[in-house]
Amino acid sequence: MWSTLRVYHSIQKDRENVEIPGSYSWMTCMRTIWVTDSRIHKEPSKLPSTLESYSGYEAYRFLLEVISGLHSRLLGETEVLAQFREQFKNASLPSSAFGEYLAKFRDSLIQDSRSIRSRYLQNIGEQSYGGLANKYLKDTKSVSLLGTGQLAEKILPWLKTRNVTLVGRNEERLAYLSKEADASVKLLSEWKPSGEAIVIAAPLDLSSVLDAIKPGTIVVDFREVPLEQKWPDSVQYISFAAMLDSLRETEERAMQIREQVQPALDDLVEERELEAQQFIFGWEDLTCPAF
């Protein structure tokens, strides 16, 4: 069914500058994926050397692994599936035969991802960034969440039992997220820490406010690379690297799970290959009229 599928993938910082004509793209904080079909989209003549390319059922398998959380830093991460569903909802898809093709593609992937998750990715530890934040914040009553992007949006529901202040530079996104979560807002240029816990969910440089952070403040930092030279020793600072280190005690189990999942992925993809061919234009299977 998906033999003509083409998928391109990048985790490079400059990926937002890449254009693939006619494609339908999906961008997260970690990666960008472009989906095309070889029957209606020509192979781009020039592609960045860092861009990964997948074809046919190899492409289907790659997307299945991604939305099942097998390529995430947190094995089995749940947020990536929610992001996929949101990006591929019917209202967002093109009003064309390609849009109908994408809808069937989405439904097939979600069905197969549910199968993988229910069989192999249950009860394996923390599976969301929001859950990690909640774990480290403990009984903290007030939190400043720094960032207005997808990561901040996914963490926000986990903070709903606390007094939350959203901090960012994008006023439109601040207004949108505050309505969704009933949180107060503050522009980054006006924000000063006042003893509340801090969750960093955007690539911001907080060097100018480090001296204002009170001793004992909990700081949960989801940035891969902190932009400050050094955090005060008086602060309870938890880096993303430290969070991952805390999960490595289950790394052996995670490796075993990944090995167990591979045959199941093989079976699911093989089943899809054996299905009747799906025609994108919908008229190839019509009876030819007699003349």
Side-chain angles (χ1 to χ4, degrees):
M1 181 182 290
W2 309 114
S3 61
T4 56
L5 179 67
R6 297 292 181 272
V7 167
Y8 305 92
H9 170 248
S10 177
I11 57 173
Q12 302 301 313
K13 292 182 179 180
D14 61 349
R15 64 187 187 274
E16 60 186 37
N17 299 321
V18 177
E19 293 186 9
I20 299 181
S23 66
Y24 188 77
S25 62
W26 170 36
M27 177 179 286
T28 73
C29 55
M30 280 187 60
R31 69 184 78 247
T32 301
I33 290 172
W34 299 263
V35 180
T36 67
D37 186 281
S38 63
R39 291 168 292 184
I40 57 174
H41 302 116
K42 293 182 178 179
E43 182 78 16
S45 56
K46 292 184 179 180
L47 290 173
S49 59
T50 56
L51 202 67
E52 298 174 5
S53 177
Y54 300 88
S55 299
Y57 289 92
E58 179 189 22
Y60 183 88
R61 180 182 180 128
F62 172 73
L63 260 295
L64 178 57
E65 291 175 354
V66 168
I67 70 169
S68 298
L70 297 175
H71 286 262
S72 300
R73 296 183 184 92
L74 298 179
L75 178 64
E77 176 204 349
T78 56
E79 276 123 350
V80 67
L81 177 58
Q83 292 172 0
F84 173 78
R85 293 172 65 101
E86 177 65 21
Q87 180 64 19
F88 280 76
K89 63 185 179 182
N90 288 335
S92 301
L93 298 178
S95 300
S96 63
F98 183 48
E100 296 177 8
Y101 174 79
L102 290 171
K104 292 175 181 176
F105 177 57
R106 172 204 62 208
D107 294 345
S108 180
L109 281 171
I110 290 175
Q111 178 182 341
D112 289 343
S113 179
R114 284 174 176 164
S115 175
I116 292 295
R117 286 179 178 276
S118 64
R119 292 162 62 187
Y120 299 100
L121 301 175
Q122 299 294 318
N123 304 313
I124 60 171
E126 192 51 65
Q127 293 177 274
S128 72
Y129 295 110
L132 271 180
N134 189 55
K135 170 185 173 181
Y136 285 104
L137 291 173
K138 302 175 184 177
D139 298 326
T140 303
K141 301 299 183 184
S142 299
V143 181
S144 282
L145 175 59
L146 278 55
T148 57
Q150 292 183 353
L151 179 56
E153 186 171 0
K154 297 308 176 185
I155 291 174
L156 193 53
W158 290 84
L159 309 180
K160 62 184 180 181
T161 59
R162 302 173 174 89
N163 297 318
V164 179
T165 300
L166 287 165
V167 181
R169 293 177 288 213
N170 188 321
E171 294 187 48
E172 184 176 341
R173 285 287 294 173
L174 283 171
Y176 168 77
L177 293 176
S178 66
K179 290 180 181 178
E180 292 291 310
D182 191 26
S184 58
V185 301
K186 183 77 72 172
L187 287 172
L188 180 62
S189 58
E190 302 172 351
W191 175 76
K192 296 294 181 183
S194 57
E196 76 283 11
I198 300 170
V199 176
I200 307 172
L204 306 172
D205 188 343
L206 302 181
S207 299
S208 63
V209 299
L210 290 185
D211 291 341
I213 300 178
K214 295 182 178 181
T217 296
I218 298 174
V219 179
V220 182
D221 188 356
F222 284 97
R223 298 171 301 176
E224 289 189 47
V225 181
L227 301 177
E228 305 77 25
Q229 289 189 352
K230 188 177 185 301
W231 279 78
D233 293 335
S234 60
V235 171
Q236 297 183 49
Y237 175 75
I238 303 108
S239 68
F240 187 54
M243 290 185 239
L244 292 181
D245 281 342
S246 72
L247 298 173
R248 288 202 175 106
E249 61 189 43
T250 60
E251 185 62 25
E252 183 176 344
R253 185 183 176 196
M255 291 177 63
Q256 293 174 348
I257 291 172
R258 285 189 171 95
E259 290 177 359
Q260 293 169 358
V261 168
Q262 295 308 311
L265 289 167
D266 292 339
D267 292 342
L268 284 171
V269 173
E270 184 178 0
E271 287 177 13
R272 295 301 179 188
E273 287 190 75
L274 294 175
E275 289 177 350
Q277 184 179 359
Q278 175 66 48
F279 294 107
I280 190 170
F281 296 110
W283 45 258
E284 289 94 332
D285 54 348
L286 294 179
T287 303
C288 181
F291 290 97

